[in-house]
Amino acid sequence: MGLIIFVWLYNTIFIPKVILFPHYEEGHISLVAILCYYFCSLFCIASLLRASVADPGKLLENPKIPITEREYWELCNKCNMMRPKRSHHCSRCGHCVRRMDHHCPWINNCVGEDNHWLFLQLCFYTQILSLYTLILDFCHYYYFLPLKKENWDVFVFRHELALLRISAFMGLIILGGISGLFYTQLMGIFTDTTSIEKMSNCCEDISRPRKPWQQTFSEVFGTHWKILWFIPFRQRQPLRVPYHFANHV
């Protein structure tokens, strides 16, 4: 998580200082480009912090289970607690998590039912910010007009090439890694399976009906309003779905 914050701080500080602000002052780009960059940066760090501190869906001790719903619960053989089906016991955190997808070291937290939507937003905005940074690095050398170097900061003037090479290298690494992770997460939602279920081959594809992708995404994000799927500054409310389509109780 510290590495991700370092990369975010590096790009948020140096990219505007080296590329955006100098080209804006000389009229090469508009203010909209700067605002879009900070907009992506804000949403990226917001989703990261919220995903790392949010409750992933930790089960309470001695839950009250209605008689009509007991068939959707099972006993955990590690902590001896009743839990909804499709829950998993995290060995690192030491408790069961509803619809747990995996334990992510990049956010130092489990990815479960209650914070999966924030993890998806983190992957999405990290890709957007990395791609935006790479485009700016490219345009700075091959598209924008040359800058008047005498107006630059001395440190930036001397180390401009090194700063942009570091930025481009980190952007390529993060974009490649996050793109693969984001793709597997999207496929998991489309097929209504978690990463743990894929590895353990317990998806129960035959016994569990396949849901429309709009339904699975709405359950993950807690709303049917698609515009809200992209906003990290809100509270998720679980959707009530029929039991034969239920991911949790």
Side-chain angles (χ1 to χ4, degrees), residues 15-25 29 33-34 37 136:
I15 291 300
K17 188 176 182 63
V18 176
I19 301 178
L20 291 174
F21 290 139
H23 284 285
Y24 171 72
E25 292 174 358
I29 60 175
I34 299 177
Y37 191 84
L136 289 174

Side-chain angles (χ1 to χ4, degrees), residues 38-54:
Y38 279 114
F39 173 84
C40 294
S41 180
L42 174 63
F43 275 47
C44 180
I45 193 63
S47 56
L48 170 63
L49 296 178
R50 290 206 61 193
S52 63
V53 301

Side-chain angles (χ1 to χ4, degrees), residues 182-197:
F182 189 58
Y183 173 79
T184 59
Q185 290 293 306
L186 290 180
M187 290 300 101
I189 298 178
F190 276 117
T191 59
D192 192 23
T193 56
T194 65
S195 299
I196 293 177
E197 291 171 342

Side-chain angles (χ1 to χ4, degrees), residues 5-247:
I5 293 179
F6 167 77
V7 174
W8 175 83
L9 283 174
Y10 184 92
N11 287 326
T12 304
I13 293 174
F14 285 108
I15 291 300
K17 188 176 182 63
V18 176
I19 301 178
L20 291 174
F21 290 139
H23 284 285
Y24 171 72
E25 292 174 358
E26 298 188 12
H28 301 162
I29 60 175
S30 66
L31 182 62
V32 176
I34 299 177
L35 295 178
C36 288
Y37 191 84
Y38 279 114
F39 173 84
C40 294
S41 180
L42 174 63
F43 275 47
C44 180
I45 193 63
S47 56
L48 170 63
L49 296 178
R50 290 206 61 193
S52 63
V53 301
D55 180 9
K58 178 182 177 181
L59 289 171
L60 302 176
E61 295 184 2
N62 301 321
K64 295 182 180 180
I65 309 173
I67 297 178
T68 57
E69 300 175 4
R70 288 184 178 177
E71 62 178 302
Y72 302 102
W73 291 66
E74 61 187 7
L75 181 67
C76 175
N77 57 8
K78 295 182 180 179
C79 60
N80 294 322
M81 287 180 53
M82 294 299 295
R83 66 186 186 186
K85 290 184 177 180
R86 305 189 70 188
S87 300
H88 183 77
H89 185 90
C90 179
S91 57
R92 286 196 175 187
C93 299
H95 53 72
C96 289
V97 177
R98 295 193 309 273
R99 205 179 185 278
M100 178 178 170
D101 188 83
H102 66 285
H103 184 94
C104 181
W106 300 107
I107 64 173
N108 194 31
N109 196 6
C110 291
V111 176
E113 181 180 273
D114 292 343
N115 70 341
H116 197 179
W117 66 285
L118 290 167
F119 183 75
L120 290 171
Q121 288 182 351
L122 172 61
C123 294
F124 175 76
Y125 286 114
T126 301
Q127 288 182 100
I128 296 298
L129 187 62
S130 299
L131 182 61
Y132 199 171
T133 300
L134 289 173
I135 293 175
L136 289 174
D137 291 338
F138 176 84
C139 291
H140 178 68
Y141 277 109
Y142 300 105
Y143 183 76
F144 294 146
L145 295 175
L147 295 169
K148 298 176 180 178
K149 307 260 181 171
E150 61 269 14
N151 296 329
W152 279 29
D153 181 86
V154 176
F155 177 83
V156 174
F157 174 74
R158 291 180 177 178
H159 305 282
E160 172 201 358
L161 183 59
L163 292 173
L164 292 180
R165 282 180 175 177
I166 294 174
S167 173
F169 175 77
M170 293 189 299
L172 287 172
I173 295 297
I174 292 180
L175 181 62
I178 294 296
S179 296
L181 176 61
F182 189 58
Y183 173 79
T184 59
Q185 290 293 306
L186 290 180
M187 290 300 101
I189 298 178
F190 276 117
T191 59
D192 192 23
T193 56
T194 65
S195 299
I196 293 177
E197 291 171 342
K198 290 179 182 178
M199 291 185 293
S200 59
N201 295 322
C202 62
C203 301
E204 301 178 358
D205 290 330
I206 299 178
S207 61
R208 191 172 69 239
R210 185 62 56 87
K211 292 179 285 188
W213 70 269
Q214 296 94 334
Q215 179 65 35
T216 56
F217 274 86
S218 297
E219 291 177 16
V220 170
F221 287 95
T223 178
H224 291 289
W225 293 90
K226 295 180 176 60
I227 187 64
L228 297 179
W229 295 357
F230 299 92
I231 301 177
F233 308 103
R234 64 179 180 86
Q235 295 296 324
R236 175 186 179 274
Q237 299 295 332
L239 295 179
R240 298 184 64 87
V241 296
Y243 285 122
H244 64 281
F245 271 161
N247 287 334

